[in-house]
Amino acid sequence: MENNKRYTDLGFAKLDMERTKRRGYSEAIYCECKTKEQLLEIFQAFKNESLNVIGTRVSKEQYEYLKSEFPDIKYSAQGRIITLINQEIKKIGEVAVCTGGTGDIPVAEEAALTAEFYGSNVKRYYDIGVSGIHRLFDKIDEIRKANVIIAVAGMEGALCSIITGLVSVPVIAVPTSVGYGTSFKGLSALLTMLNSCAEGMSVVNIDNGFNAGYSANQINRLISGKKE
Amino acid sequence: MENNKRYTDLGFAKLDMERTKRRGYSEAIYCECKTKEQLLEIFQAFKNESLNVIGTRVSKEQYEYLKSEFPDIKYSAQGRIITLINQEIKKIGEVAVCTGGTGDIPVAEEAALTAEFYGSNVKRYYDIGVSGIHRLFDKIDEIRKANVIIAVAGMEGALCSIITGLVSVPVIAVPTSVGYGTSFKGLSALLTMLNSCAEGMSVVNIDNGFNAGYSANQINRLISGKKE
Amino acid sequence: MENNKRYTDLGFAKLDMERTKRRGYSEAIYCECKTKEQLLEIFQAFKNESLNVIGTRVSKEQYEYLKSEFPDIKYSAQGRIITLINQEIKKIGEVAVCTGGTGDIPVAEEAALTAEFYGSNVKRYYDIGVSGIHRLFDKIDEIRKANVIIAVAGMEGALCSIITGLVSVPVIAVPTSVGYGTSFKGLSALLTMLNSCAEGMSVVNIDNGFNAGYSANQINRLISGKKE
Amino acid sequence: MENNKRYTDLGFAKLDMERTKRRGYSEAIYCECKTKEQLLEIFQAFKNESLNVIGTRVSKEQYEYLKSEFPDIKYSAQGRIITLINQEIKKIGEVAVCTGGTGDIPVAEEAALTAEFYGSNVKRYYDIGVSGIHRLFDKIDEIRKANVIIAVAGMEGALCSIITGLVSVPVIAVPTSVGYGTSFKGLSALLTMLNSCAEGMSVVNIDNGFNAGYSANQINRLISGKKE
Amino acid sequence: MENNKRYTDLGFAKLDMERTKRRGYSEAIYCECKTKEQLLEIFQAFKNESLNVIGTRVSKEQYEYLKSEFPDIKYSAQGRIITLINQEIKKIGEVAVCTGGTGDIPVAEEAALTAEFYGSNVKRYYDIGVSGIHRLFDKIDEIRKANVIIAVAGMEGALCSIITGLVSVPVIAVPTSVGYGTSFKGLSALLTMLNSCAEGMSVVNIDNGFNAGYSANQINRLISGKKE
Amino acid sequence: MENNKRYTDLGFAKLDMERTKRRGYSEAIYCECKTKEQLLEIFQAFKNESLNVIGTRVSKEQYEYLKSEFPDIKYSAQGRIITLINQEIKKIGEVAVCTGGTGDIPVAEEAALTAEFYGSNVKRYYDIGVSGIHRLFDKIDEIRKANVIIAVAGMEGALCSIITGLVSVPVIAVPTSVGYGTSFKGLSALLTMLNSCAEGMSVVNIDNGFNAGYSANQINRLISGKKE
Amino acid sequence: MENNKRYTDLGFAKLDMERTKRRGYSEAIYCECKTKEQLLEIFQAFKNESLNVIGTRVSKEQYEYLKSEFPDIKYSAQGRIITLINQEIKKIGEVAVCTGGTGDIPVAEEAALTAEFYGSNVKRYYDIGVSGIHRLFDKIDEIRKANVIIAVAGMEGALCSIITGLVSVPVIAVPTSVGYGTSFKGLSALLTMLNSCAEGMSVVNIDNGFNAGYSANQINRLISGKKE
Amino acid sequence: MENNKRYTDLGFAKLDMERTKRRGYSEAIYCECKTKEQLLEIFQAFKNESLNVIGTRVSKEQYEYLKSEFPDIKYSAQGRIITLINQEIKKIGEVAVCTGGTGDIPVAEEAALTAEFYGSNVKRYYDIGVSGIHRLFDKIDEIRKANVIIAVAGMEGALCSIITGLVSVPVIAVPTSVGYGTSFKGLSALLTMLNSCAEGMSVVNIDNGFNAGYSANQINRLISGKKE
């Protein structure tokens, strides 16, 4: 195992050890196509440096394997997120996470847990989609208080335009693969969001709750006066 | 020119003369890929039978050519619709035609003029899209009074879901090719509408104001008690 | 559990309790991405209000779990529909449900059961597709008697155009994902229907029997003089 | 200019002089992306060998340029076909060419003129599409008498399935780019045809009247007992 | 069970009993989305009329279930074809079935068995694709003797163009879903075939060996002088 | 002309007069599908309220027409942006606008001028794409000083990932339609950006410099302590 | 079993025995859609000729079956490659194989093992993607020493452009299907690579490590002076 | 105008002045989206350094404008290439450029002229596509003598597979946008090439003759012993 100041070389992976210095936040581990043994090595390397680690798209099997080695590890089955905290980050500001339906909650949780991990307070507003729009209007004054809003929706994805048209803070839209037929696994929602005529919304990849949470946290903390 | 009771054969076209008996309404002429001379023959054949005629996607040149032969012909440059009335139809009931933006008006006019031609009263509600949703709410009680609603929108097309979620009558959604980039000439709006979670909305082809107007009129007249 | 006059907040879901007042019909539950426990809570909430409930895309496992709690619940394995009736709706008018082939029957049943649930009489005409068109012609006079027709077809989806060209009532076309190769899971049938030159047909999402049944019922009841 | 028994090398083109011996019929010239000067050289080379030539997708300008050099050349503006006959082929058998609408006629003419050039009698049946299906039924007994049927249709392209389901001879389906919105320049019609459940139909490229005419002629002549 | 001279109505299916009279050949049963019980009823109905039956896309389980009821039934696991012969058809003429690779054989067998069932002699030429083109040239004189050629290929599908450019008989091209990445489950091969510059080739749906076999047989028998 | 406190109804358009109060910034006018006469009415209505106006996708003809009426209007031919300032906004903070190539500059200018109109200082870094990456590294320390970065790129769009991986502030990525072949008018660049493994980047529609500039300004001003 | 000098005919496969003479290297066996029995016959045929064999996309089950018959066979579970060496090839020159992430390693191994089998020395550089670009810069001087570079990347695939822009040797880019959402199983990475503005890069099919390894080896050996 | 040793900053462009040192060859100018004035500045900057320049996708107007300033400039109207030679490169080795048809020649010329500019001898073989494959076989022994082959083809693009299967040197395949209908502007040819089962071929963007010529030259010169 090669290790210089800037990255740790495990052969199958080169861990970016200067990420926090360069980018403000530590690297996240995308766990979907890694073996349990690879994850173990990676988490160990971060722990050796006393760095916080967050893993995304973690299966229950992967979690249980790591749990036996790192008893302090935390897992959200819904958000498929694993976190290992070695130095606490103080949460500041506020991010609102909204979903159109119940089926969008797993992606919303990935976003919410990520934003919390990196240092934001998060409020959740779930199942407020446009087929019963009074549910959204009932909450909108509360939602407006956040520094950044994450809007998560599948199917037609119209929720994000509606919210953006009602607020004065940035909105990060996350299309989800919820739906069938012409939802084309999230493509329909993605196109809706990219074509929104409500300015002030930007979009991330389908089901990419992680990037939404990361970006929202980054903006929230900058607004809250924390250039970390 | 062959002519039996059921259709008139012009060689390049076979006019469906029993359409009204079989389907309730006379045939419409899709003018886009027909020559001026072909249109002249077709309109003459309908006039010979004292039938009303409606032509869609008519260019200004086509209109002016026909105008010299049929001085009573009427043309909407915006809706690209031509009509020649030989027997008046009494307008009944009410159809509401709504658009998300100003750019959607040509398609909306095609729909509105078609519904009027076939016998519906029409009310127009233009530029009430979701980026300033109070404009829609200001009109919604009026819109609700129609028997059928046509909702026309390009870009993200979210207007149709919002309206459908607020009313108890059928909504016919028309995606338009307004937009750029990932609007993909109306595909984005079409997908939004097909994936709407607001039940009671059905969809027609991109920019197909004619079919929307035809279908809305058909439903409106049946609801108004006119099985024609 | 928060509950105001307008919706019931279960945290993971906000049930739209004013749906019937606003839209004429109660909310349906899309069951595909909900857990058994979530469904139990939702059905209980509706029962508490003595409302009828319909669930779509229900697995056999979900049904059996709910059955033990709500013995009166009814399930159609073919249509994957669950219904719990707390106040009977009188069926009126008539909706015809047609399919091109045998493989389209599950989607057709979803449509038929939905229309029946919301208050329509339904007649079924299955396997009358265009490869043996005399089967359709044999039934067409009977089909014409309905107030609305639902035409369900996969593969090339040509049935819907043929029927629409022969009748004077609205047709709601449902593409199905039946087929292989370039059927692209229903896309081919969808495009056929959107491009139909037979006016008076509108289209819903691939495999969306529910919306077809809902929309057909809505139109049928309005034609039958029931503004509910 | 190099010239062996098998091909004539013009540098920018290598003319296949053994085509007739190997394949039964002479090479056709696809004119769309060739200059007038290139066409002149090519037609001269064929004339030198006393071979018949057919050019497809010929513009009016290209035709007029060639006309001045080859006064016997014939041009169909509708089918964009040019022919220069140096040895007469006797027409045998029968090919039926049908279209769904008036807009499909240019492609149908390309097919019909090609089949005639290579030696088939052709009968034309235009504008017999499915929105007024009695027009097709009126002609079907006549159509059935052909050895091969070419069915040309744009938009939803349903005509081809209907015809195939009614006859016992091979059908060659040609999708056209007629339509708008989701016709996607012929893609919708193409998919309809590829997914047809009526067996005995095969398909060629969008707007490829030439290949349809060539293939139909080949089959017609083989059935008529002419192995040329 | 309703039964008139023209079709047998089983409720879930309407069997086309005049297919042979109208189209020359009996109906085939697409088995993929039918239950075992439905297949049993269908096969029984055909047997009652002493008609031959062919079933396509038959699973091993479906076969074994039917076998117990109809001991004379024949099954090809490779071609997933089941046949029940009640009146022998004399095979005439010749159809050549070629594949690019070994992986294309299942589709080729579906085509070959279909052509044999309906009355053609079939010769098979497997794994003669373009990466070792001498294998094709070694067989081409033999292939040329057939009345019709079926060319089956996945991946880039270039085999079909090569063969068509070398023969004077019609070629029916069948794209297969063999391949990975940008083969897009057969779309690449389909496009290759539709865009072939070798005239005289027509195309069927991806993996549709059945339609290829049916069409080839139809042409072969017509050429062989059998207008059945 | 109807005018309430909340919007001005011009018939073809309903101007959102409470936009600034609700969203922080005034409405922008999308000029592409509006007539000169419509634009005149719209600009007059805003001027009547002493509001600033920005028009996007303005043609030279539209500009010249408006110029004669509003002599103070400013036009950028490159960015196709028109602005009419009635109350000055003080520019604060800093937004960096970067492009991959020279061809991306028009979209970058749309973004830069929008951000300036709404109140941000902007620095431009053009033609620093990845084929000569030392040009980017030469500027990166300067770019890092901005509060938000807009990265504009066509073709493969890799610039955005590289920049995001090097900075600690939010990046808004704008795909452009520059390129040919498989650039598919910006789709390739869009997909690159959505799939970036560099977290902290979000994406807007192809060529949508306006939304990028709006969003960047919104974030920049919030970070700079201005909740307007 | 037919066997002439040029190919061995096994019925289901025709093995190209003159491949080495014609193309420089022996044929590889694509194992994905072949049965174990077919593979056994094929490997036996090559062994009979004392030829080296390489099999790609080999499952563990296929390997174990062949292992019992050919004990000298070697298997890489990661690269899914099987090799049977009957005559050693001396490795010359150098090929560099780089990946963007850990998930790309299986495709990279397929490439590396193929290049080694056919006669190249290979150096591996894994997980050097653009989100931490200093990892690439740390290795670039070493990478530059190779004669050919294979760059393997999924998701946005930007690595390949960066490398190409930094070196003076040919780069073969391999998109992988790693990713989710709009990665569309490798399509996003493929488009990135095809649209790269860094000249000197060419691309192979998604996940096609084999062709990348083959092509790189071919170029490497030619550069190293070995025209085999 | 800023100018350091590594690049020249013109504001709208940053010219990569160390390209030759880093990559072996000077930068090429993509002229399509640049103004005449921008091109003038760029060419002047290169001339100031006595560097050779090549411009691609140059219109006749752009050429004529530059010609007046740089009388030594050379233009190929067919290949849309402009070159300005300030220091002669000695041509070595051999590259073969082949096309399927006459319509592919413009792209082939772009490739050929690029390879010649950067230092390769080029031989051209045009119109040798697969519909008359004896034309290819007639030339194949000559083609085999090149160090690298560029194969350019539109429509079905099968030429590239055939050539690759017959030679032992690397093949660079260039799909062209020649064709209509399902050629989808070169997509069909691109997919054919990516899916080729003939190993040793790699692919560049549709119509990208420049990159093909650049890559082929790079490989040719390395094989010819010139590491420049």
Side-chain angles (χ1 to χ4, degrees), chain D residues 29-37 39 43 55-67 73-83 110:
Chain D
I29 308 305
Y30 174 62
C31 300
E32 198 142 52
C33 51
K34 300 204 174 67
T35 65
K36 288 180 299 187
E37 293 73 19
L39 289 182
F43 274 68
T56 64
R57 307 211 155 217
V58 185
S59 71
K60 197 152 191 298
E61 287 65 32
Q62 290 175 322
Y63 160 62
E64 276 159 7
Y65 183 82
L66 292 171
K67 177 77 177 174
I73 216 162
K74 291 233 174 81
Y75 183 56
S76 157
Q78 210 170 22
R80 290 197 292 156
I81 288 276
I82 219 167
T83 52
E110 188 181 280

Side-chain angles (χ1 to χ4, degrees), chain A residues 1 27 37 46 49 61 69 78 95 116 120 128 173 183 185 198 202 217 224-225:
Chain A
M1 191 177 93
E27 195 183 356
E37 292 74 17
F46 278 97
E49 306 289 322
E61 286 67 31
E69 202 66 29
Q78 209 169 22
V95 172
E116 288 172 340
S120 290
I128 55 172
S183 84
K185 309 196 175 185
S202 59
N217 170 70
S224 303

Side-chain angles (χ1 to χ4, degrees), chain D:
Chain D
M1 188 178 93
E2 184 190 341
N3 195 344
N4 65 21
K5 274 190 297 236
R6 305 188 70 198
Y7 63 89
T8 301
D9 193 341
L10 306 174
F12 62 85
K14 294 187 177 47
L15 306 177
D16 186 355
M17 290 311 182
E18 66 157 35
R19 185 72 61 101
T20 306
K21 175 161 154 266
R22 190 176 77 246
R23 305 224 40 217
Y25 303 99
S26 64
E27 194 182 356
I29 308 305
Y30 174 62
C31 300
E32 198 142 52
C33 51
K34 300 204 174 67
T35 65
K36 288 180 299 187
E37 293 73 19
Q38 290 176 335
L39 289 182
L40 189 64
E41 274 197 68
I42 291 170
F43 274 68
Q44 194 59 61
F46 277 96
K47 202 182 173 183
N48 292 347
E49 306 290 322
S50 292
L51 290 169
N52 292 345
V53 208
I54 182 167
T56 64
R57 307 211 155 217
V58 185
S59 71
K60 197 152 191 298
E61 287 65 32
Q62 290 175 322
Y63 160 62
E64 276 159 7
Y65 183 82
L66 292 171
K67 177 77 177 174
S68 64
E69 201 66 30
F70 309 102
D72 293 344
I73 216 162
K74 291 233 174 81
Y75 183 56
S76 157
Q78 210 170 22
R80 290 197 292 156
I81 288 276
I82 219 167
T83 52
L84 186 56
I85 304 294
N86 293 300
Q87 358 169 350
E88 200 65 37
I89 292 186
K90 190 172 158 5
K91 292 195 193 82
I92 60 175
E94 185 176 319
V95 171
V97 179
C98 310
T99 77
T102 301
D104 304 317
I105 293 179
V107 176
E109 280 300 310
E110 188 181 280
L113 293 163
T114 300
E116 287 172 340
F117 172 80
Y118 284 117
S120 290
N121 295 305
V122 172
K123 289 214 176 144
R124 288 153 168 90
Y125 305 89
Y126 290 168
D127 196 28
I128 54 172
V130 301
S131 66
I133 207 169
H134 57 295
R135 301 174 303 186
L136 165 61
F137 286 127
D138 199 53
K139 299 289 185 193
I140 192 70
D141 285 335
E142 215 179 311
I143 293 169
R144 273 190 186 115
K145 290 178 190 149
N147 284 325
V148 193
I149 297 166
I150 296 172
V152 183
M155 295 175 174
E156 94 258 58
L159 176 70
C160 306
S161 284
I162 311 297
I163 290 181
T164 306
L166 294 169
V167 302
S168 64
V169 296
V171 175
I172 296 172
V174 193
T176 73
S177 53
V178 168
Y180 57 90
T182 56
S183 84
F184 294 132
K185 310 197 175 184
L187 183 60
S188 169
L190 172 69
L191 292 179
T192 304
M193 293 167 188
L194 287 170
N195 285 287
S196 176
C197 48
E199 57 277 82
M201 182 210 299
S202 59
V203 187
V204 297
N205 195 4
I206 295 166
D207 289 338
N208 197 342
F210 169 70
N211 189 20
Y214 184 98
S215 299
N217 170 70
Q218 192 180 39
I219 297 171
N220 171 48
R221 287 179 71 84
L222 286 168
I223 292 175
S224 302
K226 201 73 191 179
K227 263 215 147 162
E228 187 164 346

Side-chain angles (χ1 to χ4, degrees), chain A residues 1-11 13-15 17 45 49, chain G residues 135 138-139 142:
Chain A
M1 191 177 93
E2 184 189 342
N3 196 342
N4 65 19
K5 273 191 298 237
R6 306 188 69 202
Y7 63 90
T8 301
D9 194 342
L10 306 174
K14 295 188 176 47
L15 306 177
M17 290 313 184
E49 306 289 322
Chain G
R135 302 173 302 186
D138 198 54
K139 300 288 185 193
E142 212 177 316

